[in-house]
Structures are given as C-alpha cells and as structure tokens.
Amino acid sequence: MMLATRTNKIESVKKLLELGANPNAHDDSTKYFGQSAVLLACSFNRPSSKILSC
C-alpha cells in the first residue's frame, strides 16, 4: 500500500483496498517513519485527490 501510494498508482491502491488493505495501518519500518498510507499521501506537495478519495 505504501509503495502504491508513494508512486501514485491509483489502480493498485484501489485493488489493494478491495483486497482488504488497511490505509490507516502504520508502517513499522524506518523507511516511512511509522506513517500510514493516508498520511504519506497527504504529505506530498500536491496530494492526489484520486488517491485520497479511494
């Protein structure tokens, strides 16, 4: 979910959500500093409204 969000892959995000991915789950690695996919999407300079509305 994090990779699909970070690379703005809207169809991948939709499919992951259909399969039950939790967009609010926090990443426990140091790569994303505990952020969730939603927080990651919001941190972009120009957040994708399509990603945020999935």
Side-chain angles (χ1 to χ4, degrees):
M1 183 65 134
M2 300 295 281
L3 181 59
T5 301
R6 184 171 58 95
T7 56
N8 207 29
K9 303 292 185 190
I10 296 164
E11 293 304 316
S12 296
V13 169
K14 286 181 182 179
K15 189 62 172 177
L16 287 165
L17 291 171
E18 286 175 17
L19 294 171
N22 180 356
N24 294 310
H26 292 272
D27 184 85
D28 60 355
S29 72
T30 57
K31 184 172 185 174
Y32 296 108
F33 304 105
Q35 289 185 331
S36 67
V38 172
L39 291 174
L40 179 65
C42 291
S43 69
F44 297 142
N45 287 338
R46 294 180 140 185
S48 170
S49 59
K50 291 180 182 178
I51 290 279
L52 292 172
S53 67
C54 288

Short mmCIF file of all heavy atoms in Angstrom, two decimals:
data_model
loop_
_atom_site.label_atom_id
_atom_site.label_comp_id
_atom_site.label_asym_id
_atom_site.label_seq_id
_atom_site.Cartn_x
_atom_site.Cartn_y
_atom_site.Cartn_z
N MET A 1 0.82 -1.17 0.00
CA MET A 1 0.00 0.00 0.00
C MET A 1 0.87 1.25 0.00
O MET A 1 0.56 2.19 -0.71
CB MET A 1 -0.92 -0.04 1.22
CG MET A 1 -1.87 1.09 1.28
SD MET A 1 -3.04 1.06 -0.05
CE MET A 1 -4.51 1.36 0.77
N MET A 2 1.93 1.22 0.80
CA MET A 2 2.80 2.39 0.87
C MET A 2 3.46 2.66 -0.48
O MET A 2 3.49 3.80 -0.93
CB MET A 2 3.88 2.19 1.94
CG MET A 2 3.32 1.99 3.34
SD MET A 2 2.44 3.41 3.97
CE MET A 2 3.80 4.43 4.46
N LEU A 3 3.96 1.63 -1.13
CA LEU A 3 4.61 1.81 -2.42
C LEU A 3 3.63 2.30 -3.48
O LEU A 3 3.94 3.21 -4.24
CB LEU A 3 5.27 0.51 -2.88
CG LEU A 3 6.00 0.56 -4.21
CD1 LEU A 3 7.12 1.59 -4.18
CD2 LEU A 3 6.56 -0.80 -4.56
N ALA A 4 2.44 1.73 -3.50
CA ALA A 4 1.43 2.16 -4.48
C ALA A 4 1.04 3.61 -4.24
O ALA A 4 0.85 4.37 -5.18
CB ALA A 4 0.20 1.26 -4.39
N THR A 5 0.94 4.00 -2.98
CA THR A 5 0.59 5.38 -2.65
C THR A 5 1.73 6.32 -3.04
O THR A 5 1.51 7.35 -3.66
CB THR A 5 0.30 5.53 -1.15
OG1 THR A 5 -0.78 4.66 -0.82
CG2 THR A 5 -0.06 6.95 -0.79
N ARG A 6 2.95 5.94 -2.68
CA ARG A 6 4.11 6.80 -2.94
C ARG A 6 4.33 7.02 -4.43
O ARG A 6 4.75 8.09 -4.86
CB ARG A 6 5.35 6.19 -2.31
CG ARG A 6 6.60 7.05 -2.45
CD ARG A 6 7.75 6.51 -1.63
NE ARG A 6 8.11 5.16 -1.96
CZ ARG A 6 9.07 4.81 -2.82
NH1 ARG A 6 9.77 5.74 -3.43
NH2 ARG A 6 9.33 3.56 -3.06
N THR A 7 4.02 6.01 -5.24
CA THR A 7 4.25 6.12 -6.68
C THR A 7 2.98 6.51 -7.44
O THR A 7 2.97 6.51 -8.67
CB THR A 7 4.80 4.79 -7.24
OG1 THR A 7 3.91 3.74 -6.91
CG2 THR A 7 6.18 4.51 -6.69
N ASN A 8 1.91 6.85 -6.69
CA ASN A 8 0.67 7.36 -7.27
C ASN A 8 0.03 6.36 -8.23
O ASN A 8 -0.50 6.73 -9.28
CB ASN A 8 0.91 8.70 -7.96
CG ASN A 8 -0.32 9.56 -7.99
OD1 ASN A 8 -1.17 9.46 -7.10
ND2 ASN A 8 -0.44 10.39 -8.99
N LYS A 9 0.05 5.09 -7.86
CA LYS A 9 -0.56 4.02 -8.67
C LYS A 9 -2.01 3.82 -8.22
O LYS A 9 -2.31 3.01 -7.36
CB LYS A 9 0.22 2.71 -8.53
CG LYS A 9 1.67 2.82 -8.91
CD LYS A 9 1.82 3.05 -10.39
CE LYS A 9 3.29 3.04 -10.76
NZ LYS A 9 3.53 3.46 -12.09
N ILE A 10 -2.90 4.61 -8.78
CA ILE A 10 -4.28 4.67 -8.33
C ILE A 10 -4.98 3.31 -8.46
O ILE A 10 -5.67 2.88 -7.53
CB ILE A 10 -5.05 5.76 -9.10
CG1 ILE A 10 -4.44 7.12 -8.75
CG2 ILE A 10 -6.53 5.74 -8.78
CD1 ILE A 10 -4.81 8.23 -9.68
N GLU A 11 -4.82 2.64 -9.57
CA GLU A 11 -5.48 1.34 -9.75
C GLU A 11 -4.95 0.31 -8.75
O GLU A 11 -5.71 -0.52 -8.25
CB GLU A 11 -5.31 0.84 -11.19
CG GLU A 11 -6.04 1.70 -12.21
CD GLU A 11 -7.53 1.83 -11.92
OE1 GLU A 11 -8.18 0.82 -11.60
OE2 GLU A 11 -8.05 2.96 -12.02
N SER A 12 -3.67 0.38 -8.45
CA SER A 12 -3.09 -0.53 -7.46
C SER A 12 -3.65 -0.26 -6.07
O SER A 12 -3.97 -1.18 -5.33
CB SER A 12 -1.56 -0.41 -7.43
OG SER A 12 -1.02 -0.80 -8.66
N VAL A 13 -3.79 1.02 -5.73
CA VAL A 13 -4.38 1.38 -4.43
C VAL A 13 -5.80 0.87 -4.35
O VAL A 13 -6.20 0.27 -3.34
CB VAL A 13 -4.32 2.91 -4.21
CG1 VAL A 13 -5.14 3.31 -3.01
CG2 VAL A 13 -2.88 3.37 -4.04
N LYS A 14 -6.59 1.06 -5.40
CA LYS A 14 -7.97 0.58 -5.41
C LYS A 14 -8.03 -0.92 -5.21
O LYS A 14 -8.85 -1.44 -4.45
CB LYS A 14 -8.66 0.96 -6.73
CG LYS A 14 -9.01 2.42 -6.83
CD LYS A 14 -9.71 2.70 -8.14
CE LYS A 14 -10.02 4.16 -8.31
NZ LYS A 14 -10.69 4.43 -9.60
N LYS A 15 -7.18 -1.65 -5.92
CA LYS A 15 -7.18 -3.12 -5.82
C LYS A 15 -6.77 -3.57 -4.42
O LYS A 15 -7.37 -4.49 -3.85
CB LYS A 15 -6.26 -3.73 -6.88
CG LYS A 15 -6.37 -5.21 -6.99
CD LYS A 15 -7.77 -5.59 -7.40
CE LYS A 15 -7.88 -7.05 -7.70
NZ LYS A 15 -9.25 -7.44 -8.03
N LEU A 16 -5.75 -2.94 -3.86
CA LEU A 16 -5.32 -3.29 -2.51
C LEU A 16 -6.43 -3.05 -1.50
O LEU A 16 -6.64 -3.85 -0.59
CB LEU A 16 -4.06 -2.51 -2.14
CG LEU A 16 -2.78 -2.96 -2.85
CD1 LEU A 16 -1.70 -1.91 -2.69
CD2 LEU A 16 -2.33 -4.30 -2.32
N LEU A 17 -7.16 -1.96 -1.66
CA LEU A 17 -8.28 -1.68 -0.77
C LEU A 17 -9.38 -2.72 -0.94
O LEU A 17 -9.96 -3.18 0.04
CB LEU A 17 -8.83 -0.27 -1.02
CG LEU A 17 -7.92 0.87 -0.59
CD1 LEU A 17 -8.46 2.19 -1.07
CD2 LEU A 17 -7.73 0.87 0.92
N GLU A 18 -9.65 -3.12 -2.19
CA GLU A 18 -10.65 -4.18 -2.44
C GLU A 18 -10.25 -5.48 -1.75
O GLU A 18 -11.11 -6.22 -1.29
CB GLU A 18 -10.79 -4.43 -3.94
CG GLU A 18 -11.53 -3.37 -4.71
CD GLU A 18 -11.52 -3.64 -6.21
OE1 GLU A 18 -11.22 -4.79 -6.63
OE2 GLU A 18 -11.79 -2.69 -6.96
N LEU A 19 -8.96 -5.74 -1.72
CA LEU A 19 -8.45 -6.97 -1.11
C LEU A 19 -8.33 -6.87 0.41
O LEU A 19 -7.88 -7.82 1.05
CB LEU A 19 -7.10 -7.34 -1.74
CG LEU A 19 -7.17 -7.72 -3.21
CD1 LEU A 19 -5.76 -7.84 -3.79
CD2 LEU A 19 -7.95 -9.02 -3.40
N GLY A 20 -8.68 -5.72 0.97
CA GLY A 20 -8.71 -5.59 2.41
C GLY A 20 -7.54 -4.86 3.05
O GLY A 20 -7.40 -4.89 4.27
N ALA A 21 -6.72 -4.21 2.25
CA ALA A 21 -5.59 -3.45 2.83
C ALA A 21 -6.13 -2.32 3.70
O ALA A 21 -7.14 -1.70 3.37
CB ALA A 21 -4.71 -2.89 1.72
N ASN A 22 -5.47 -2.08 4.79
CA ASN A 22 -5.87 -1.02 5.71
C ASN A 22 -5.03 0.24 5.42
O ASN A 22 -3.84 0.26 5.71
CB ASN A 22 -5.66 -1.47 7.15
CG ASN A 22 -6.06 -0.44 8.17
OD1 ASN A 22 -6.44 0.67 7.82
ND2 ASN A 22 -5.97 -0.79 9.42
N PRO A 23 -5.65 1.30 4.89
CA PRO A 23 -4.89 2.51 4.57
C PRO A 23 -4.41 3.26 5.81
O PRO A 23 -3.56 4.13 5.71
CB PRO A 23 -5.88 3.35 3.78
CG PRO A 23 -7.22 2.88 4.23
CD PRO A 23 -7.06 1.42 4.54
N ASN A 24 -4.95 2.90 6.97
CA ASN A 24 -4.54 3.56 8.21
C ASN A 24 -3.52 2.77 9.01
O ASN A 24 -3.09 3.21 10.07
CB ASN A 24 -5.77 3.84 9.08
CG ASN A 24 -6.67 4.86 8.42
OD1 ASN A 24 -6.23 5.91 7.99
ND2 ASN A 24 -7.94 4.53 8.30
N ALA A 25 -3.12 1.60 8.49
CA ALA A 25 -2.10 0.81 9.17
C ALA A 25 -0.77 1.53 9.10
O ALA A 25 -0.39 2.07 8.05
CB ALA A 25 -1.99 -0.57 8.53
N HIS A 26 -0.08 1.57 10.21
CA HIS A 26 1.21 2.27 10.25
C HIS A 26 2.34 1.33 9.86
O HIS A 26 2.38 0.18 10.28
CB HIS A 26 1.45 2.83 11.65
CG HIS A 26 0.50 3.93 11.99
ND1 HIS A 26 0.76 5.24 11.67
CD2 HIS A 26 -0.72 3.91 12.56
CE1 HIS A 26 -0.26 5.98 12.05
NE2 HIS A 26 -1.18 5.19 12.59
N ASP A 27 3.23 1.84 9.04
CA ASP A 27 4.40 1.08 8.62
C ASP A 27 5.39 1.05 9.77
O ASP A 27 5.68 2.08 10.37
CB ASP A 27 5.02 1.78 7.40
CG ASP A 27 6.18 1.03 6.84
OD1 ASP A 27 5.97 0.11 6.04
OD2 ASP A 27 7.31 1.35 7.24
N ASP A 28 5.89 -0.12 10.10
CA ASP A 28 6.79 -0.23 11.25
C ASP A 28 8.27 -0.19 10.87
O ASP A 28 9.13 -0.38 11.71
CB ASP A 28 6.49 -1.49 12.06
CG ASP A 28 6.66 -2.76 11.26
OD1 ASP A 28 6.92 -2.68 10.05
OD2 ASP A 28 6.51 -3.84 11.84
N SER A 29 8.55 0.09 9.60
CA SER A 29 9.96 0.19 9.20
C SER A 29 10.43 1.63 9.38
O SER A 29 9.65 2.54 9.59
CB SER A 29 10.12 -0.23 7.74
OG SER A 29 9.59 0.75 6.87
N THR A 30 11.72 1.82 9.25
CA THR A 30 12.27 3.17 9.36
C THR A 30 12.14 3.94 8.05
O THR A 30 12.32 5.15 8.03
CB THR A 30 13.75 3.14 9.77
OG1 THR A 30 14.46 2.36 8.82
CG2 THR A 30 13.90 2.56 11.16
N LYS A 31 11.76 3.25 6.97
CA LYS A 31 11.66 3.92 5.67
C LYS A 31 10.56 4.98 5.68
O LYS A 31 10.73 6.06 5.11
CB LYS A 31 11.38 2.89 4.58
CG LYS A 31 11.36 3.51 3.19
CD LYS A 31 11.28 2.46 2.13
CE LYS A 31 11.38 3.09 0.77
NZ LYS A 31 11.44 2.12 -0.29
N TYR A 32 9.43 4.68 6.30
CA TYR A 32 8.31 5.62 6.30
C TYR A 32 8.05 6.21 7.68
O TYR A 32 7.06 6.87 7.90
CB TYR A 32 7.05 4.94 5.77
CG TYR A 32 7.17 4.53 4.32
CD1 TYR A 32 7.28 3.20 3.97
CD2 TYR A 32 7.21 5.48 3.31
CE1 TYR A 32 7.42 2.82 2.64
CE2 TYR A 32 7.35 5.11 1.98
CZ TYR A 32 7.45 3.78 1.66
OH TYR A 32 7.58 3.41 0.35
N PHE A 33 8.93 5.96 8.62
CA PHE A 33 8.87 6.57 9.96
C PHE A 33 7.52 6.38 10.65
O PHE A 33 7.01 7.28 11.29
CB PHE A 33 9.22 8.06 9.89
CG PHE A 33 10.55 8.32 9.25
CD1 PHE A 33 10.62 8.81 7.96
CD2 PHE A 33 11.72 8.06 9.93
CE1 PHE A 33 11.86 9.03 7.36
CE2 PHE A 33 12.96 8.29 9.35
CZ PHE A 33 13.02 8.77 8.06
N GLY A 34 6.92 5.21 10.49
CA GLY A 34 5.68 4.90 11.17
C GLY A 34 4.44 5.53 10.57
O GLY A 34 3.38 5.50 11.17
N GLN A 35 4.56 6.08 9.38
CA GLN A 35 3.41 6.72 8.75
C GLN A 35 2.44 5.67 8.19
O GLN A 35 2.82 4.54 7.93
CB GLN A 35 3.84 7.61 7.59
CG GLN A 35 4.55 8.86 8.00
CD GLN A 35 4.83 9.74 6.80
OE1 GLN A 35 5.00 9.27 5.69
NE2 GLN A 35 4.89 11.03 7.03
N SER A 36 1.21 6.09 7.96
CA SER A 36 0.26 5.24 7.25
C SER A 36 0.22 5.71 5.80
O SER A 36 0.75 6.78 5.46
CB SER A 36 -1.13 5.38 7.88
OG SER A 36 -1.64 6.67 7.67
N ALA A 37 -0.43 4.93 4.94
CA ALA A 37 -0.55 5.31 3.53
C ALA A 37 -1.31 6.63 3.39
O ALA A 37 -0.99 7.45 2.54
CB ALA A 37 -1.24 4.21 2.75
N VAL A 38 -2.31 6.84 4.24
CA VAL A 38 -3.08 8.09 4.19
C VAL A 38 -2.19 9.27 4.54
O VAL A 38 -2.18 10.29 3.85
CB VAL A 38 -4.30 8.02 5.13
CG1 VAL A 38 -4.98 9.38 5.24
CG2 VAL A 38 -5.28 6.96 4.67
N LEU A 39 -1.41 9.14 5.60
CA LEU A 39 -0.51 10.23 5.99
C LEU A 39 0.55 10.48 4.93
O LEU A 39 0.90 11.62 4.65
CB LEU A 39 0.15 9.93 7.33
CG LEU A 39 -0.77 9.94 8.54
CD1 LEU A 39 -0.01 9.47 9.78
CD2 LEU A 39 -1.35 11.31 8.76
N LEU A 40 1.04 9.40 4.33
CA LEU A 40 2.04 9.54 3.27
C LEU A 40 1.45 10.31 2.09
O LEU A 40 2.07 11.22 1.56
CB LEU A 40 2.52 8.16 2.82
CG LEU A 40 3.56 8.14 1.71
CD1 LEU A 40 4.86 8.79 2.17
CD2 LEU A 40 3.80 6.73 1.24
N ALA A 41 0.24 9.96 1.69
CA ALA A 41 -0.40 10.64 0.56
C ALA A 41 -0.61 12.12 0.87
O ALA A 41 -0.45 12.97 -0.01
CB ALA A 41 -1.73 9.98 0.23
N CYS A 42 -0.95 12.44 2.09
CA CYS A 42 -1.19 13.83 2.48
C CYS A 42 0.10 14.64 2.57
O CYS A 42 0.05 15.87 2.52
CB CYS A 42 -1.91 13.90 3.82
SG CYS A 42 -3.60 13.32 3.75
N SER A 43 1.22 13.98 2.69
CA SER A 43 2.48 14.71 2.87
C SER A 43 3.09 15.19 1.55
O SER A 43 4.05 15.94 1.56
CB SER A 43 3.50 13.82 3.60
OG SER A 43 3.92 12.75 2.77
N PHE A 44 2.53 14.78 0.42
CA PHE A 44 3.04 15.23 -0.86
C PHE A 44 2.76 16.71 -1.05
O PHE A 44 1.79 17.24 -0.51
CB PHE A 44 2.39 14.46 -2.02
CG PHE A 44 2.69 12.98 -2.02
CD1 PHE A 44 1.72 12.08 -2.39
CD2 PHE A 44 3.93 12.50 -1.66
CE1 PHE A 44 1.97 10.73 -2.40
CE2 PHE A 44 4.19 11.14 -1.67
CZ PHE A 44 3.21 10.26 -2.04
N ASN A 45 3.57 17.38 -1.85
CA ASN A 45 3.33 18.79 -2.16
C ASN A 45 1.98 18.97 -2.83
O ASN A 45 1.30 19.94 -2.59
CB ASN A 45 4.43 19.34 -3.07
CG ASN A 45 5.73 19.53 -2.34
OD1 ASN A 45 5.74 19.65 -1.13
ND2 ASN A 45 6.81 19.54 -3.08
N ARG A 46 1.64 18.06 -3.69
CA ARG A 46 0.35 18.08 -4.39
C ARG A 46 -0.29 16.71 -4.19
O ARG A 46 -0.18 15.85 -5.05
CB ARG A 46 0.55 18.35 -5.86
CG ARG A 46 1.08 19.72 -6.15
CD ARG A 46 1.24 19.91 -7.62
NE ARG A 46 0.81 21.26 -7.94
CZ ARG A 46 0.73 21.71 -9.16
NH1 ARG A 46 1.03 20.94 -10.16
NH2 ARG A 46 0.34 22.94 -9.37
N PRO A 47 -0.98 16.50 -3.08
CA PRO A 47 -1.60 15.19 -2.85
C PRO A 47 -2.59 14.86 -3.96
O PRO A 47 -3.31 15.73 -4.43
CB PRO A 47 -2.34 15.37 -1.52
CG PRO A 47 -1.79 16.60 -0.91
CD PRO A 47 -1.24 17.43 -2.01
N SER A 48 -2.60 13.61 -4.36
CA SER A 48 -3.52 13.17 -5.38
C SER A 48 -4.91 13.01 -4.78
O SER A 48 -5.13 12.19 -3.90
CB SER A 48 -3.06 11.83 -5.96
OG SER A 48 -4.06 11.28 -6.78
N SER A 49 -5.85 13.79 -5.28
CA SER A 49 -7.21 13.68 -4.78
C SER A 49 -7.80 12.33 -5.13
O SER A 49 -8.65 11.80 -4.43
CB SER A 49 -8.09 14.80 -5.35
OG SER A 49 -8.10 14.74 -6.75
N LYS A 50 -7.32 11.71 -6.21
CA LYS A 50 -7.80 10.39 -6.59
C LYS A 50 -7.34 9.33 -5.59
O LYS A 50 -8.09 8.43 -5.25
CB LYS A 50 -7.33 10.03 -7.99
CG LYS A 50 -7.99 10.86 -9.06
CD LYS A 50 -7.50 10.47 -10.43
CE LYS A 50 -8.14 11.35 -11.48
NZ LYS A 50 -7.66 11.04 -12.81
N ILE A 51 -6.11 9.45 -5.10
CA ILE A 51 -5.61 8.50 -4.11
C ILE A 51 -6.36 8.70 -2.79
O ILE A 51 -6.78 7.76 -2.16
CB ILE A 51 -4.09 8.70 -3.87
CG1 ILE A 51 -3.30 8.24 -5.09
CG2 ILE A 51 -3.62 7.97 -2.62
CD1 ILE A 51 -3.05 6.77 -5.23
N LEU A 52 -6.53 9.95 -2.40
CA LEU A 52 -7.17 10.22 -1.11
C LEU A 52 -8.65 9.88 -1.11
O LEU A 52 -9.22 9.65 -0.05
CB LEU A 52 -6.97 11.69 -0.74
CG LEU A 52 -5.53 12.07 -0.41
CD1 LEU A 52 -5.41 13.58 -0.25
CD2 LEU A 52 -5.05 11.35 0.83
N SER A 53 -9.27 9.84 -2.26
CA SER A 53 -10.70 9.55 -2.32
C SER A 53 -11.00 8.07 -2.52
O SER A 53 -12.16 7.69 -2.56
CB SER A 53 -11.37 10.36 -3.42
OG SER A 53 -10.92 9.94 -4.69
N CYS A 54 -9.98 7.23 -2.65
CA CYS A 54 -10.20 5.79 -2.84
C CYS A 54 -10.86 5.16 -1.65
O CYS A 54 -10.86 5.39 -0.59
CB CYS A 54 -8.90 5.07 -3.12
SG CYS A 54 -8.24 5.40 -4.74
#
